[in-house]
Each structure stands twice: as structure tokens, then as C-alpha cells.
Amino acid sequence: MPDAIFADPRLAGLYDTFDGDRDDLDAYQRIVAELGARTIVDVGCGTGCLALRLAADGCTVTGVDPAAASLDIARGKPGADRVTWLPALPDQRFDLAVMTGNVAQVFLTDREWQDTLTGLYDVLVPGGHLVFETRRPEYRVWDEWARDTGPVVRAVPGVGEVRRQRRLTDVRLPLVSFRYTYTFPSGQVLESDSTLRFRDRNELRGTVTGAGFEIVDVRQAPDRPARERVFLCRRPA
């Protein structure tokens, strides 16, 4: 079940405004060019920011997300007709699968994560690549979240000024939970609870290779070099 921020239409419409300028996606466009990928599946595509960029670059893109409200937002954006939007992985093959942001960390159990990796292996052509990012647990970003309790206010088109407050709710490593509370101009208050799993580098290596992938490279995330890693993995030819 997707978090409310992605699944509730009242909150999904706020996501892009609060997420801001997605400079982190520039790196994925460069990776796509580096790999020469032409057919791409964006897993956990959300409101479609990366999928639309890649489609505009001339790639054939499928955006996959179980949150119907987020897909509705994506379908309403300029250029959305160039992308195929689906709630689950299709039975076809791709050159590249990507998981940006926190997508790789929403799979909380070993079974969920392994099933996800196996499913992505199966939809890639031999020699195809999987690219995903993940937060480094040694950075302990949850300590930063606990200190950063101030509200964020954004002017949301068609809605007005919305106030967002984040609160750390539980730390039971490797799981970390937090809550976003949104206050609308009308006074309406909505909450979205999230939990992420923080896997260390050795665990990730073991699970990725266990699913049959080769690890080509592990890079620093360009927008958060000390906080996140980007894994480049390959299905053997």
C-alpha cells in the first residue's frame, strides 16, 4: 500500500511543489546517455518527473507506480502521451530499469526486496542495467530529521499556501519511520506516514548479486555525495 502522500489525491497534488527542482534527475539522464539505453522502465515513477524527461530525450519510457493518484498527476502533464503509465511491471523487456529517490528503500522485508530485484531482472534484456539510489545508513539522516522540526510552507497552484511539518516517529534499525502533516488554507489537516529500510553496502551487494546481477559501479549521489549511493547493476549478457 503506497503512502498517503502518493496515494491520496489531495496530497499527491502537492508532491511536486514540495519536492522542488529535481536537480538529482540530471544524473539519471547522464547515466541513460552513458549506457545508451533506449527502452526504460521507471519503477516508482510517482508523478512522472524522470519519465517525462527521458521521453523528451527520445527514449521509449514506461512509468510504473502502484499509487493511482500519482499516476493521474503524471498523465495530466505536458508530454505525458509519450509515456506508458502502468500500476505494475509489464510483461516486456527493457534496456534499463531505474529507481530514484527513496523507492529502493520502501521495500521493508527481505522478501519484498528480493522479489523486486528478481522481477526487475526478468524484465531486462540480457546486458540490460538496473540503476537505483539508496541512503547510506552510516550518515544517520534520521538524527537530522529529529532536529529539523520547523515547518515548510509552499504556495501550491490552485490550492494556496500549504504548511508541511515532518516528525520522526520511530527508529528501529534498519527501519526508520516519519510522519508528514499538511495543513491547508481551509484548516484541513492531512497526515502521511512513511517507513524506509536502510540497508548497508554489504547487504545491498549480497541481495543484488543474489538476484543474478553484476555490480558495475557504486557511485556517490551527485546531489548528496556523503549521504547516498547510486548502484549501477547489469544483467549478464
Side-chain angles (χ1 to χ4, degrees), residues 54-84:
L54 298 178
D57 288 341
C59 298
T60 300
V61 184
T62 298
V64 173
D65 203 296
S70 292
L71 288 185
D72 286 344
I73 298 294
R75 290 187 181 105
K77 292 182 176 181
D81 57 330
R82 300 176 184 172
V83 178
T84 301

PDB file of all heavy atoms in Angstrom, residues 54-84:
ATOM      1  N   LEU A  54      12.993  11.703 -19.776  1.00  0.00           N
ATOM      2  CA  LEU A  54      13.601  10.714 -20.649  1.00  0.00           C
ATOM      3  C   LEU A  54      12.819  10.563 -21.959  1.00  0.00           C
ATOM      4  O   LEU A  54      13.400  10.374 -23.026  1.00  0.00           O
ATOM      5  CB  LEU A  54      13.698   9.372 -19.931  1.00  0.00           C
ATOM      6  CG  LEU A  54      14.580   9.364 -18.673  1.00  0.00           C
ATOM      7  CD1 LEU A  54      14.554   7.987 -18.014  1.00  0.00           C
ATOM      8  CD2 LEU A  54      16.011   9.777 -19.011  1.00  0.00           C
ATOM      9  N   ALA A  55      11.494  10.653 -21.865  1.00  0.00           N
ATOM     10  CA  ALA A  55      10.687  10.598 -23.080  1.00  0.00           C
ATOM     11  C   ALA A  55      10.987  11.790 -23.986  1.00  0.00           C
ATOM     12  O   ALA A  55      11.050  11.654 -25.211  1.00  0.00           O
ATOM     13  CB  ALA A  55       9.203  10.555 -22.724  1.00  0.00           C
ATOM     14  N   ALA A  56      11.183  12.962 -23.380  1.00  0.00           N
ATOM     15  CA  ALA A  56      11.528  14.151 -24.168  1.00  0.00           C
ATOM     16  C   ALA A  56      12.887  14.001 -24.830  1.00  0.00           C
ATOM     17  O   ALA A  56      13.156  14.615 -25.872  1.00  0.00           O
ATOM     18  CB  ALA A  56      11.506  15.388 -23.273  1.00  0.00           C
ATOM     19  N   ASP A  57      13.761  13.160 -24.253  1.00  0.00           N
ATOM     20  CA  ASP A  57      15.075  12.898 -24.843  1.00  0.00           C
ATOM     21  C   ASP A  57      14.997  11.889 -25.987  1.00  0.00           C
ATOM     22  O   ASP A  57      16.018  11.575 -26.605  1.00  0.00           O
ATOM     23  CB  ASP A  57      16.042  12.367 -23.778  1.00  0.00           C
ATOM     24  CG  ASP A  57      16.467  13.443 -22.786  1.00  0.00           C
ATOM     25  OD1 ASP A  57      16.331  14.637 -23.111  1.00  0.00           O
ATOM     26  OD2 ASP A  57      16.952  13.084 -21.689  1.00  0.00           O
ATOM     27  N   GLY A  58      13.798  11.347 -26.228  1.00  0.00           N
ATOM     28  CA  GLY A  58      13.622  10.400 -27.326  1.00  0.00           C
ATOM     29  C   GLY A  58      13.597   8.949 -26.917  1.00  0.00           C
ATOM     30  O   GLY A  58      13.536   8.058 -27.763  1.00  0.00           O
ATOM     31  N   CYS A  59      13.641   8.664 -25.612  1.00  0.00           N
ATOM     32  CA  CYS A  59      13.598   7.279 -25.140  1.00  0.00           C
ATOM     33  C   CYS A  59      12.150   6.769 -25.115  1.00  0.00           C
ATOM     34  O   CYS A  59      11.203   7.547 -25.011  1.00  0.00           O
ATOM     35  CB  CYS A  59      14.179   7.181 -23.733  1.00  0.00           C
ATOM     36  SG  CYS A  59      15.921   7.666 -23.606  1.00  0.00           S
ATOM     37  N   THR A  60      12.007   5.463 -25.204  1.00  0.00           N
ATOM     38  CA  THR A  60      10.711   4.814 -25.019  1.00  0.00           C
ATOM     39  C   THR A  60      10.594   4.454 -23.552  1.00  0.00           C
ATOM     40  O   THR A  60      11.369   3.634 -23.045  1.00  0.00           O
ATOM     41  CB  THR A  60      10.603   3.550 -25.892  1.00  0.00           C
ATOM     42  OG1 THR A  60      10.757   3.917 -27.262  1.00  0.00           O
ATOM     43  CG2 THR A  60       9.261   2.873 -25.692  1.00  0.00           C
ATOM     44  N   VAL A  61       9.635   5.065 -22.861  1.00  0.00           N
ATOM     45  CA  VAL A  61       9.609   5.003 -21.395  1.00  0.00           C
ATOM     46  C   VAL A  61       8.280   4.451 -20.898  1.00  0.00           C
ATOM     47  O   VAL A  61       7.211   4.816 -21.394  1.00  0.00           O
ATOM     48  CB  VAL A  61       9.840   6.400 -20.785  1.00  0.00           C
ATOM     49  CG1 VAL A  61       9.917   6.311 -19.262  1.00  0.00           C
ATOM     50  CG2 VAL A  61      11.105   7.040 -21.349  1.00  0.00           C
ATOM     51  N   THR A  62       8.370   3.586 -19.890  1.00  0.00           N
ATOM     52  CA  THR A  62       7.206   3.106 -19.153  1.00  0.00           C
ATOM     53  C   THR A  62       7.364   3.532 -17.703  1.00  0.00           C
ATOM     54  O   THR A  62       8.391   3.256 -17.074  1.00  0.00           O
ATOM     55  CB  THR A  62       7.083   1.576 -19.228  1.00  0.00           C
ATOM     56  OG1 THR A  62       6.908   1.191 -20.599  1.00  0.00           O
ATOM     57  CG2 THR A  62       5.897   1.080 -18.418  1.00  0.00           C
ATOM     58  N   GLY A  63       6.374   4.240 -17.177  1.00  0.00           N
ATOM     59  CA  GLY A  63       6.374   4.643 -15.774  1.00  0.00           C
ATOM     60  C   GLY A  63       5.473   3.711 -14.988  1.00  0.00           C
ATOM     61  O   GLY A  63       4.303   3.526 -15.343  1.00  0.00           O
ATOM     62  N   VAL A  64       6.014   3.115 -13.920  1.00  0.00           N
ATOM     63  CA  VAL A  64       5.272   2.140 -13.116  1.00  0.00           C
ATOM     64  C   VAL A  64       5.139   2.645 -11.690  1.00  0.00           C
ATOM     65  O   VAL A  64       6.146   3.017 -11.061  1.00  0.00           O
ATOM     66  CB  VAL A  64       5.991   0.773 -13.130  1.00  0.00           C
ATOM     67  CG1 VAL A  64       5.319  -0.192 -12.159  1.00  0.00           C
ATOM     68  CG2 VAL A  64       6.005   0.193 -14.538  1.00  0.00           C
ATOM     69  N   ASP A  65       3.919   2.656 -11.183  1.00  0.00           N
ATOM     70  CA  ASP A  65       3.700   3.056  -9.790  1.00  0.00           C
ATOM     71  C   ASP A  65       2.354   2.508  -9.327  1.00  0.00           C
ATOM     72  O   ASP A  65       1.360   2.624 -10.060  1.00  0.00           O
ATOM     73  CB  ASP A  65       3.716   4.579  -9.645  1.00  0.00           C
ATOM     74  CG  ASP A  65       4.048   5.015  -8.229  1.00  0.00           C
ATOM     75  OD1 ASP A  65       3.254   4.713  -7.316  1.00  0.00           O
ATOM     76  OD2 ASP A  65       5.101   5.637  -8.024  1.00  0.00           O
ATOM     77  N   PRO A  66       2.297   1.908  -8.125  1.00  0.00           N
ATOM     78  CA  PRO A  66       1.018   1.389  -7.631  1.00  0.00           C
ATOM     79  C   PRO A  66       0.070   2.476  -7.144  1.00  0.00           C
ATOM     80  O   PRO A  66      -1.110   2.192  -6.884  1.00  0.00           O
ATOM     81  CB  PRO A  66       1.438   0.476  -6.478  1.00  0.00           C
ATOM     82  CG  PRO A  66       2.714   1.079  -5.993  1.00  0.00           C
ATOM     83  CD  PRO A  66       3.412   1.602  -7.216  1.00  0.00           C
ATOM     84  N   ALA A  67       0.552   3.713  -7.003  1.00  0.00           N
ATOM     85  CA  ALA A  67      -0.276   4.810  -6.494  1.00  0.00           C
ATOM     86  C   ALA A  67      -1.032   5.479  -7.647  1.00  0.00           C
ATOM     87  O   ALA A  67      -0.459   6.253  -8.419  1.00  0.00           O
ATOM     88  CB  ALA A  67       0.580   5.834  -5.763  1.00  0.00           C
ATOM     89  N   ALA A  68      -2.315   5.178  -7.761  1.00  0.00           N
ATOM     90  CA  ALA A  68      -3.115   5.689  -8.874  1.00  0.00           C
ATOM     91  C   ALA A  68      -3.175   7.217  -8.880  1.00  0.00           C
ATOM     92  O   ALA A  68      -3.169   7.839  -9.942  1.00  0.00           O
ATOM     93  CB  ALA A  68      -4.532   5.116  -8.801  1.00  0.00           C
ATOM     94  N   ALA A  69      -3.209   7.837  -7.691  1.00  0.00           N
ATOM     95  CA  ALA A  69      -3.302   9.298  -7.628  1.00  0.00           C
ATOM     96  C   ALA A  69      -2.063   9.948  -8.232  1.00  0.00           C
ATOM     97  O   ALA A  69      -2.153  10.971  -8.925  1.00  0.00           O
ATOM     98  CB  ALA A  69      -3.487   9.760  -6.183  1.00  0.00           C
ATOM     99  N   SER A  70      -0.885   9.372  -7.983  1.00  0.00           N
ATOM    100  CA  SER A  70       0.351   9.913  -8.557  1.00  0.00           C
ATOM    101  C   SER A  70       0.360   9.740 -10.074  1.00  0.00           C
ATOM    102  O   SER A  70       0.776  10.638 -10.804  1.00  0.00           O
ATOM    103  CB  SER A  70       1.567   9.222  -7.938  1.00  0.00           C
ATOM    104  OG  SER A  70       1.696   9.564  -6.578  1.00  0.00           O
ATOM    105  N   LEU A  71      -0.090   8.579 -10.546  1.00  0.00           N
ATOM    106  CA  LEU A  71      -0.152   8.361 -11.995  1.00  0.00           C
ATOM    107  C   LEU A  71      -1.128   9.329 -12.655  1.00  0.00           C
ATOM    108  O   LEU A  71      -0.890   9.785 -13.777  1.00  0.00           O
ATOM    109  CB  LEU A  71      -0.553   6.921 -12.300  1.00  0.00           C
ATOM    110  CG  LEU A  71       0.490   5.838 -12.017  1.00  0.00           C
ATOM    111  CD1 LEU A  71      -0.037   4.484 -12.487  1.00  0.00           C
ATOM    112  CD2 LEU A  71       1.817   6.144 -12.698  1.00  0.00           C
ATOM    113  N   ASP A  72      -2.214   9.661 -11.968  1.00  0.00           N
ATOM    114  CA  ASP A  72      -3.166  10.634 -12.524  1.00  0.00           C
ATOM    115  C   ASP A  72      -2.499  11.990 -12.708  1.00  0.00           C
ATOM    116  O   ASP A  72      -2.734  12.679 -13.710  1.00  0.00           O
ATOM    117  CB  ASP A  72      -4.386  10.764 -11.615  1.00  0.00           C
ATOM    118  CG  ASP A  72      -5.316   9.561 -11.705  1.00  0.00           C
ATOM    119  OD1 ASP A  72      -5.192   8.782 -12.676  1.00  0.00           O
ATOM    120  OD2 ASP A  72      -6.145   9.390 -10.788  1.00  0.00           O
ATOM    121  N   ILE A  73      -1.670  12.398 -11.742  1.00  0.00           N
ATOM    122  CA  ILE A  73      -0.927  13.653 -11.871  1.00  0.00           C
ATOM    123  C   ILE A  73       0.016  13.567 -13.059  1.00  0.00           C
ATOM    124  O   ILE A  73       0.109  14.489 -13.887  1.00  0.00           O
ATOM    125  CB  ILE A  73      -0.131  13.958 -10.583  1.00  0.00           C
ATOM    126  CG1 ILE A  73      -1.059  14.129  -9.385  1.00  0.00           C
ATOM    127  CG2 ILE A  73       0.743  15.203 -10.784  1.00  0.00           C
ATOM    128  CD1 ILE A  73      -1.960  15.316  -9.445  1.00  0.00           C
ATOM    129  N   ALA A  74       0.730  12.459 -13.176  1.00  0.00           N
ATOM    130  CA  ALA A  74       1.685  12.283 -14.277  1.00  0.00           C
ATOM    131  C   ALA A  74       0.983  12.350 -15.631  1.00  0.00           C
ATOM    132  O   ALA A  74       1.475  12.990 -16.569  1.00  0.00           O
ATOM    133  CB  ALA A  74       2.412  10.949 -14.121  1.00  0.00           C
ATOM    134  N   ARG A  75      -0.155  11.701 -15.739  1.00  0.00           N
ATOM    135  CA  ARG A  75      -0.885  11.657 -17.014  1.00  0.00           C
ATOM    136  C   ARG A  75      -1.379  13.039 -17.443  1.00  0.00           C
ATOM    137  O   ARG A  75      -1.654  13.254 -18.623  1.00  0.00           O
ATOM    138  CB  ARG A  75      -2.072  10.702 -16.910  1.00  0.00           C
ATOM    139  CG  ARG A  75      -1.685   9.232 -16.814  1.00  0.00           C
ATOM    140  CD  ARG A  75      -2.921   8.355 -16.899  1.00  0.00           C
ATOM    141  NE  ARG A  75      -2.582   6.940 -16.797  1.00  0.00           N
ATOM    142  CZ  ARG A  75      -2.789   6.193 -15.710  1.00  0.00           C
ATOM    143  NH1 ARG A  75      -3.324   6.751 -14.621  1.00  0.00           N
ATOM    144  NH2 ARG A  75      -2.459   4.912 -15.697  1.00  0.00           N
ATOM    145  N   GLY A  76      -1.505  13.955 -16.495  1.00  0.00           N
ATOM    146  CA  GLY A  76      -2.001  15.287 -16.815  1.00  0.00           C
ATOM    147  C   GLY A  76      -0.923  16.274 -17.197  1.00  0.00           C
ATOM    148  O   GLY A  76      -1.221  17.437 -17.508  1.00  0.00           O
ATOM    149  N   LYS A  77       0.346  15.856 -17.230  1.00  0.00           N
ATOM    150  CA  LYS A  77       1.447  16.771 -17.520  1.00  0.00           C
ATOM    151  C   LYS A  77       1.728  16.841 -19.025  1.00  0.00           C
ATOM    152  O   LYS A  77       1.449  15.881 -19.760  1.00  0.00           O
ATOM    153  CB  LYS A  77       2.716  16.334 -16.773  1.00  0.00           C
ATOM    154  CG  LYS A  77       2.617  16.481 -15.263  1.00  0.00           C
ATOM    155  CD  LYS A  77       3.920  16.078 -14.583  1.00  0.00           C
ATOM    156  CE  LYS A  77       3.875  16.315 -13.088  1.00  0.00           C
ATOM    157  NZ  LYS A  77       5.149  15.942 -12.426  1.00  0.00           N
ATOM    158  N   PRO A  78       2.307  17.948 -19.488  1.00  0.00           N
ATOM    159  CA  PRO A  78       2.678  18.052 -20.905  1.00  0.00           C
ATOM    160  C   PRO A  78       3.649  16.929 -21.289  1.00  0.00           C
ATOM    161  O   PRO A  78       4.586  16.628 -20.555  1.00  0.00           O
ATOM    162  CB  PRO A  78       3.368  19.425 -20.981  1.00  0.00           C
ATOM    163  CG  PRO A  78       2.817  20.201 -19.834  1.00  0.00           C
ATOM    164  CD  PRO A  78       2.587  19.199 -18.738  1.00  0.00           C
ATOM    165  N   GLY A  79       3.390  16.321 -22.430  1.00  0.00           N
ATOM    166  CA  GLY A  79       4.240  15.245 -22.922  1.00  0.00           C
ATOM    167  C   GLY A  79       3.917  13.887 -22.355  1.00  0.00           C
ATOM    168  O   GLY A  79       4.587  12.896 -22.683  1.00  0.00           O
ATOM    169  N   ALA A  80       2.871  13.796 -21.509  1.00  0.00           N
ATOM    170  CA  ALA A  80       2.548  12.523 -20.862  1.00  0.00           C
ATOM    171  C   ALA A  80       2.129  11.447 -21.858  1.00  0.00           C
ATOM    172  O   ALA A  80       2.260  10.251 -21.570  1.00  0.00           O
ATOM    173  CB  ALA A  80       1.443  12.728 -19.832  1.00  0.00           C
ATOM    174  N   ASP A  81       1.641  11.856 -23.026  1.00  0.00           N
ATOM    175  CA  ASP A  81       1.227  10.864 -24.023  1.00  0.00           C
ATOM    176  C   ASP A  81       2.408  10.107 -24.612  1.00  0.00           C
ATOM    177  O   ASP A  81       2.230   9.085 -25.278  1.00  0.00           O
ATOM    178  CB  ASP A  81       0.430  11.547 -25.134  1.00  0.00           C
ATOM    179  CG  ASP A  81       1.200  12.665 -25.820  1.00  0.00           C
ATOM    180  OD1 ASP A  81       2.045  13.307 -25.175  1.00  0.00           O
ATOM    181  OD2 ASP A  81       0.967  12.889 -27.031  1.00  0.00           O
ATOM    182  N   ARG A  82       3.631  10.565 -24.356  1.00  0.00           N
ATOM    183  CA  ARG A  82       4.822   9.865 -24.853  1.00  0.00           C
ATOM    184  C   ARG A  82       5.236   8.714 -23.938  1.00  0.00           C
ATOM    185  O   ARG A  82       6.136   7.944 -24.274  1.00  0.00           O
ATOM    186  CB  ARG A  82       5.999  10.844 -24.948  1.00  0.00           C
ATOM    187  CG  ARG A  82       5.773  12.030 -25.871  1.00  0.00           C
ATOM    188  CD  ARG A  82       6.973  12.951 -25.798  1.00  0.00           C
ATOM    189  NE  ARG A  82       6.803  14.165 -26.584  1.00  0.00           N
ATOM    190  CZ  ARG A  82       7.640  15.191 -26.569  1.00  0.00           C
ATOM    191  NH1 ARG A  82       8.722  15.132 -25.799  1.00  0.00           N
ATOM    192  NH2 ARG A  82       7.411  16.258 -27.305  1.00  0.00           N
ATOM    193  N   VAL A  83       4.624   8.637 -22.753  1.00  0.00           N
ATOM    194  CA  VAL A  83       5.000   7.639 -21.751  1.00  0.00           C
ATOM    195  C   VAL A  83       3.842   6.666 -21.551  1.00  0.00           C
ATOM    196  O   VAL A  83       2.671   7.063 -21.576  1.00  0.00           O
ATOM    197  CB  VAL A  83       5.343   8.312 -20.405  1.00  0.00           C
ATOM    198  CG1 VAL A  83       5.680   7.278 -19.340  1.00  0.00           C
ATOM    199  CG2 VAL A  83       6.486   9.302 -20.582  1.00  0.00           C
ATOM    200  N   THR A  84       4.151   5.403 -21.343  1.00  0.00           N
ATOM    201  CA  THR A  84       3.154   4.405 -20.945  1.00  0.00           C
ATOM    202  C   THR A  84       3.129   4.353 -19.424  1.00  0.00           C
ATOM    203  O   THR A  84       4.159   4.117 -18.786  1.00  0.00           O
ATOM    204  CB  THR A  84       3.509   3.020 -21.509  1.00  0.00           C
ATOM    205  OG1 THR A  84       3.570   3.083 -22.934  1.00  0.00           O
ATOM    206  CG2 THR A  84       2.468   1.990 -21.100  1.00  0.00           C
TER     207      THR A  84
END
